[in-house]
Structures are given as C-alpha cells and as structure tokens.
Amino acid sequence: MTKEEVAEILDDIATLLELQGENPFRANAYRNGARAVKNLPGDLGEMVRQGQLTHVPGIGSTLREQIASLVTTGRLPFYDELKASVPQGALQMLRLPGIGPKKVRALQQAGITDLEQLQQACQKGQVAAMKGFGEKTQQKILEGLAFLGEVGQRVRIDQATPIGQRLLQAVRSFPTVIRAELAGSLRRRRETCKDIDIVCSGDDAHAILQAFASRSEVRQVVGLGDTKCSVILEEVVDGHRIVINADLRVVTDEQFPAALVYFTGSKEFNIQLRRRALARGWSLNEYELNDGRRAIPLRHEADLFAALDLDFIPPELREDTGEIDAADRTTAPRSARLPRLIEVQDIRGVFHNHTTYSDGAATLEEMAHAARQLGFEYLGIADHSQSLTVARGLSPERVRQQLADIDALNRKFRGFKLLKGCEVDILVDGRLDYPDDLLAEFDYVVASVHTHFGLSEEQMTERICRAVRHPLVSMLGHATGRLLLRREGYRVNLDRVLQAASEAGTMIEINAQPTRLELDWHYCKRAKSLGIPLVINPDAHSVGELNYYVYGVDVARRGWLEADDVFNTRSLQEVQKAFRTQRKP
Ligand code: DGT
Ligand code: CA
Ligand code: ZN
C-alpha cells in the first residue's frame, strides 16, 4: 500500500469517528497521522520493516501498529468494523458539498437516514428549518443530490468526445508536458464511456497534475497522487449538462508507449498482449516491455507491437476478437490479416435523412447545401411514410410532390445529386407502408420498424425478415431500435435477419445517430462474412446531424470493415447502378 492510500484510510477513520460522535481529539489524532504519513520521506513499507516510524511526530503507538497492519497485510480490521458500523446513507451524505460529519449526525438524529429521505425533506423545506442548516444549505444539498445522481453513469461518445478533446488540448499545453493522448474506451471509440482517460509524459508530474485538478470544469477532485489525478467534470454539451469522470496519468517519456497501450485497453486485449510477452519469457506492464534483462527501448506505440512481432493494431480493434492473431507476423503463411479500416474521408454520401416534409428541421435545399459543404457527391432523402403520423409521415401525394421537388433541384446541381428514397415503415405483419407501384418510383427504399416494439422474438424476426426479402427494399434501417443508455432494442434474432438479408441481397444500415449506433459493431463482421454491404446513415433530422456519419465510421471500424465493405464509399454512378441491379428479380 502506498503512502497516499494509507493516508486516505487514516482520514476515512477520522471521518467515521466524527460521524459516530467520538471525542474530537481521537478523530484529530488520525487526521494528523494521515498528514504525517503523506509527508514521510522514502518508502513506507521499508520504514515499517526497519521500525523507523517510532520517532515520527504525529504517529503514536496505536497508529504505528495500524499502519504496519495496512502496509504488511493490506487490511485493518478496526477500519472494516468501523465502516460496517456506520450506516451507508450517512457515508453517502458526506459526498454532498457543505455537508460534514456534524451535519450528517444532525440529519440522522432528525430521522433522515438516507439520500432519498434527504431529498424529500429538502423538497418539503424541512432541512432549511433545521438548526445550523438554512435555505442556502438546503439548496446546495438539492444541487448536490442531482449531481450525485449523474456521477458514474456512462456517457455517449458524441458527448464524451468534445469534452475529451478539449481536455486533451489543455493537457498538451501544461508546462513540461511532452506528449499526451486520449486512452481508454474513448480512444477505442466505444459507443459509451464510463470516463475519460488521458495519458501524458512530462518532467514535472506534480505541476501537471495540479494544473489538471485546477481546471475550471472540474467539479470535484476525487484523487490526487504522485502519478495520477481523478476528477469529476461538469460541462454543457449541445445544451445538455454532462457529468463525467476523467483520469490523467503522468509517466516518463520512455514509459509513454507502454502506458498508452495499457491504458487504451481493452482489459481483455491487454491480457492477451501480456500473455504473448510472457510466452517468450518477457514481461509487459503499464510502464515497460522487458525482455528479462532490460526494458526494450520504445519510441512509439507501434514499436511495442513490432517488438512483439505484431502489425500495429488500431485502437478500435483492441477488443480481443482475433486482432492479435490477425496482426501476427510470425505465422506463415498468414492465415489472416488486419483489415485496412475504412476512414471518414472514404464516405461519399449518405442515404437516410429527413427534411421538413416529415419530421426534419431543414428543407431539401438546406440539406443539399449542407451535404455539398461536407464534400458529399450525393445525398439520399428518406422521409417517413404515411402511417407514421407522429413523425408527419408522407401520404403518396405528398411524397410524389417531394420527388418532383428533388427533380427540380437536381436540374440546378453540378457534380452533386439528391437521391430519391423513403423510409418506409415496416407494418406489424411485415408488409410495407406504401404500395409497390409507389415504392418503385424511388431510387431506393429504407425499411424500418417504428411501432409495435413489444412483439415476441419470433414475430419480430418474421416481420423484419419479410420486409428484408421484399424485392423493392434496398436496405434495412436501425436494426433493433435500441436507444443507448435508455432503451433495449426489441427482441429479434439478428442472425436470421442477416441470413435473410444475405439471401435477398438487401443491405443493412449502420445508423449513426449517437443514441443508436446499430447495427452493433459485434454484428458487422458477421454481416461482412455473409457478403452483406453495410450502409452508414446519419438518419439526420437537421443540417447539423449530417455530421453524425463520423460515429457510424467508428462503428464500422470497430466492426473490422474496410472501405469496400461499406456502400457509401462508392461513386454516384456505382451507387445508382447497384440500386438498379438490386431490383432485378
Ligand atoms: P470504460 O471506462 O468502462 O468505458 O472502459 P475502459 O476500457 O476505458 O476502462 P477503464 O477506464 O476502466 O480502464 C482503462 C484501461 O486501463 C482499460 O481499457 C485497460 C486498462 N486496465 C484497467 N484495469 C485493468 C486491469 O485490471 N487489467 C489490465 N490488464 N488492464 C486494465
Ligand atoms: Ca475509461
Ligand atoms: Zn429515419
């Protein structure tokens, strides 16, 4: 156990004693002890072994024994018993701003013993009326409770990305920082992140960590040690208040490559990579790759992979789903290779977008303009069909009007084309919401489920497979209807849907709305192996949402897809030809 960890426990003990209403002298003895331990020069374990704690001011005989117990066994029964004797609710209350042990005791004595009771009491104004509390404290408690409710919840990638990028830029500007990168799930581009991980190298770790802890968006410093700082951030992203943890680790520049690999993860990937090092009698940890005699000098992450005879593995693939085997340079002939992952620049247009005709916020013209600004060659419009009245679905007359409008606009464009599509509803029995003669008038058709989510898996699978097999359906929209962190998808057997799509030659969408991000990346590889082209669609309901396609590229990359596996990388001519061929019986 490090000095910091021991000091933290001694501080905890002081707080617990105060909560129990113990003699303040006793609690203070632990606080002083914590400070003394933190300021000790040298290695705590060594000092304990040598009996050097005997003459340290602030550490009496009881404390000395307890510290020895912590250092040698990692445990302290006295601490465990103390923790167990204090109600959980009291400990949680301590995390609220402006609430110390004394106030917690007062609340407990008033019969308010957990956070829920506390919230109710505040809402009724009872806490303000208590002696020593008042309006202001009550307000602060309510705000603190709202904050606590958000701490520890996962955050979507579109919200974590701008926060992480800003923080990364800040870290790069701190004095003595040599280099810094995002790590963790955010670097691997997972759909949601528990926290933001940043690794940096620099000479003055202390100053770097201090600068990090003093950022204005930091709401709370959770931990501040010699090499790591953990904070809780609060920021507004797109009008939403986001609360998320962030960890910064500082290493030396020699350690940086190994540290970056380690903290990028995933954990499962790290375990496999370490196993590979061990298999050759080497060792690998967050600081170094060691061949048993010395740390192998590494300048970049790629050097670490090369030293282990591996091709560079992009962060998105580091999930222990076969990437290490595919990167292996020692197996000959190579049974598999890493894919050349699709990139954002490969995308030439997108197909599932809405306008003011149905529930979008921008007109056809505005959407077309924005698509051209993004450098797209084509933009597909796919508004909702008639039965989806909540989304102002279009009657056959209205949608024919839209098609005429598109034709008129297209006459004005050079080097760009609006494509005529629709997002037709898959009705409860798998039939489509427009008649076939109307569907045949579009360049392509996206079919999606928007209603009757409660069907059994069997019914839902049948329903979707029927739509997928329809000769006029070009692609299946959002495959399971999930809303990340809010709603599970509907029950459906995706393997059967993929099978049906493969047989019928129907494409499958990667819906790039950051709340959806499905077809889930786990299934992309399977779709690819079945020869199903995937289509990245932002499902944009406004000009700004067109940009969401980049999150679809993240999903595709995590799903091992190359440019050729994704339909949107094709030119306008190829796309139009593919749509026509698809329709031939
Ligand atoms: P998250 O935060 O849940 O979205 O996902 P990660 O992957 O960012 O996980 P996190 O923040 O707990 O840890 C960051 C990286 O640190 C993780 O991807 C791999 C590494 N790591 C953490 N704990 C362990 C561990 O127990 N063993 C190994 N080998 N690596 C670990
Ligand atoms: Ca993380
Ligand atoms: Zn849509």
Side-chain angles (χ1 to χ4, degrees):
M1 226 179 238
T2 66
K3 281 187 280 199
E4 278 82 11
E5 286 166 330
V6 170
E8 208 168 292
I9 290 176
L10 297 181
D11 259 328
D12 272 0
I13 292 175
T15 308
L16 291 167
L17 290 172
E18 281 167 349
L19 275 176
Q20 291 200 325
E22 269 278 346
N23 181 339
F25 291 113
R26 209 171 151 216
N28 273 337
Y30 280 94
R31 291 226 191 279
N32 292 338
R35 207 165 314 127
V37 165
K38 233 188 282 186
N39 292 331
L40 284 175
D43 184 76
L44 182 59
E46 199 54 32
M47 293 182 82
V48 166
R49 272 188 293 281
Q50 312 270 339
Q52 286 168 346
L53 288 185
T54 328
H55 304 295
V56 179
I59 302 182
S61 61
T62 313
L63 240 71
R64 202 160 56 233
E65 280 168 28
Q66 294 177 336
I67 293 170
S69 164
L70 282 170
V71 168
T72 49
T73 68
R75 304 209 26 191
L76 179 58
F78 167 64
Y79 175 52
D80 296 336
E81 285 160 24
L82 198 56
K83 263 198 301 195
S85 73
V86 171
Q88 194 61 24
L91 294 175
Q92 289 170 336
M93 286 181 194
L94 276 179
R95 293 173 59 200
L96 295 165
I99 298 289
K102 240 179 159 167
K103 285 211 167 70
V104 173
R105 271 177 63 73
L107 288 165
Q108 305 258 306
Q109 276 158 8
I112 301 169
T113 57
D114 61 33
L115 293 184
E116 206 171 308
Q117 290 171 356
L118 180 59
Q119 183 163 29
Q120 283 165 4
C122 285
Q123 281 159 350
K124 289 189 206 145
Q126 291 166 345
V127 172
M130 282 171 63
K131 189 164 164 274
F133 283 79
E135 271 304 328
K136 248 196 176 147
T137 308
Q138 179 173 279
Q139 189 52 37
K140 265 183 108 171
I141 292 175
L142 276 173
E143 283 166 20
L145 284 169
F147 180 73
L148 278 188
E150 292 161 359
V151 171
Q153 306 218 20
R154 299 188 73 85
V155 170
R156 292 195 326 248
I157 190 171
D158 60 312
Q159 299 171 323
T161 297
I163 297 176
Q165 282 298 339
R166 268 199 296 276
L167 199 56
L168 176 65
Q169 294 314 322
V171 170
R172 286 180 173 155
S173 76
F174 292 161
T176 81
V177 165
I178 301 164
R179 41 185 170 159
E181 293 293 345
L182 292 176
S185 50
L186 189 52
R187 182 164 184 242
R188 301 198 313 279
R189 307 301 294 163
R190 260 191 77 177
E191 308 87 318
T192 63
C193 304
K194 179 193 71 195
D195 55 10
I196 292 167
D197 300 287
I198 300 180
V199 182
C200 81
S201 64
D203 296 325
D204 190 346
H206 183 72
I208 293 168
L209 294 168
Q210 280 295 337
F212 183 74
S214 339
R215 297 272 306 162
S216 65
E217 67 268 35
V218 169
R219 264 293 289 266
Q220 202 176 312
V221 178
V222 183
L224 181 56
D226 292 335
T227 58
K228 173 179 169 183
C229 179
S230 296
V231 298
I232 300 174
L233 304 173
E234 183 180 344
E235 278 200 66
V236 174
V237 180
D238 295 334
H240 293 280
R241 202 169 70 100
I242 305 297
V243 173
I244 186 168
N245 278 74
D247 289 350
L248 176 67
R249 279 142 183 126
V250 186
V251 296
T252 66
D253 206 50
E254 292 72 44
Q255 293 169 339
F256 186 81
L260 182 58
V261 168
Y262 182 88
F263 291 111
T264 297
S266 65
K267 187 173 161 183
E268 292 71 22
F269 171 83
N270 286 353
I271 290 168
Q272 292 306 327
L273 201 64
R274 187 185 301 140
R275 190 167 291 168
R276 187 174 174 90
L278 291 178
R280 48 180 75 188
W282 297 7
S283 67
L284 173 65
N285 60 28
E286 60 264 56
Y287 303 115
E288 61 176 33
L289 176 65
N290 195 303
D291 68 4
R293 288 173 300 126
R294 53 162 203 157
I296 294 171
L298 307 169
R299 184 69 202 118
H300 299 287
E301 226 183 11
D303 301 334
L304 192 155
F305 288 107
L308 290 170
D309 289 313
L310 295 171
D311 291 336
F312 179 81
I313 302 176
E316 292 93 330
L317 300 187
R318 301 183 197 171
E319 298 289 349
D320 188 23
T321 59
E323 65 277 12
I324 292 184
D325 284 343
D328 196 336
R329 293 175 180 172
T330 60
T331 48
R334 292 180 70 163
S335 47
R337 276 188 183 275
L338 288 174
R340 255 186 79 126
L341 296 181
I342 179 174
E343 293 179 19
V344 167
Q345 304 86 274
D346 294 325
I347 300 294
R348 301 211 211 179
V350 291
F351 301 94
H352 174 178
N353 304 288
H354 299 272
T355 71
T356 45
Y357 262 92
S358 69
D359 61 348
T363 61
L364 273 176
E365 228 166 336
E366 289 164 340
M367 292 296 277
H369 178 73
R372 299 182 81 177
Q373 299 268 298
L374 287 171
F376 287 168
E377 280 175 39
Y378 47 86
L379 177 74
I381 300 298
D383 269 316
H384 291 290
S385 61
Q386 53 191 354
S387 78
L388 203 65
T389 45
V390 287
R392 308 193 338 114
L394 304 182
S395 66
E397 296 70 42
R398 288 268 296 150
V399 80
R400 285 199 169 100
Q401 178 59 50
Q402 186 183 44
L403 296 183
D405 282 1
I406 291 176
D407 283 333
L409 278 172
N410 273 337
R411 281 192 283 275
K412 293 199 259 172
F413 297 139
R414 297 201 145 270
F416 175 81
K417 191 163 179 137
L418 282 176
L419 293 173
K420 297 184 275 188
C422 67
E423 184 181 18
V424 71
D425 243 57
I426 302 175
L427 302 176
V428 65
D429 58 0
R431 283 181 304 122
L432 302 178
D433 191 27
Y434 283 143
D436 286 359
D437 61 333
L438 176 54
L439 290 175
E441 290 177 41
F442 296 95
D443 293 326
Y444 67 96
V445 171
V446 185
S448 311
V449 164
H450 289 109
T451 57
H452 302 284
F453 289 0
L455 296 185
S456 72
E457 179 177 317
E458 182 57 33
Q459 287 171 314
M460 189 61 94
T461 305
E462 261 316 303
R463 176 187 184 187
I464 296 176
C465 285
R466 185 171 172 194
V468 156
R469 288 193 199 101
H470 192 291
L472 291 169
V473 168
S474 322
M475 60 187 82
L476 174 69
H478 42 77
T480 74
R482 77 173 176 194
L483 291 179
L484 288 168
L485 310 175
R486 285 189 13 225
R487 179 177 85 198
E488 294 276 327
Y490 27 79
R491 283 164 295 169
V492 57
N493 183 332
L494 274 181
D495 285 316
R496 276 175 56 198
V497 171
L498 293 185
Q499 197 57 48
S502 167
E503 285 159 17
T506 303
M507 299 187 264
I508 295 198
E509 168 181 278
I510 295 173
N511 190 296
Q513 282 273 330
T515 50
R516 295 185 181 269
L517 296 179
E518 55 162 354
L519 189 64
D520 187 279
W521 64 271
H522 291 92
Y523 284 93
C524 287
K525 228 194 221 178
R526 178 124 20 111
K528 173 179 174 162
S529 71
L530 288 169
I532 303 168
L534 289 138
V535 192
I536 294 173
N537 279 326
D539 194 356
H541 286 71
S542 68
V543 163
E545 288 188 4
L546 279 174
N547 290 297
Y548 284 162
Y549 77 98
V550 300
Y551 300 112
V553 175
D554 289 330
V555 174
R557 287 172 64 88
R558 288 176 62 73
W560 290 56
L561 300 186
E562 307 195 340
D564 280 349
D565 305 320
V566 176
F567 188 61
N568 328 49
T569 62
R570 302 192 197 172
S571 70
L572 175 63
Q573 280 70 30
E574 291 171 309
V575 158
Q576 287 178 306
K577 190 170 154 213
F579 282 141
R580 279 195 302 270
T581 335
Q582 220 185 6
R583 288 188 169 182
K584 289 208 189 99

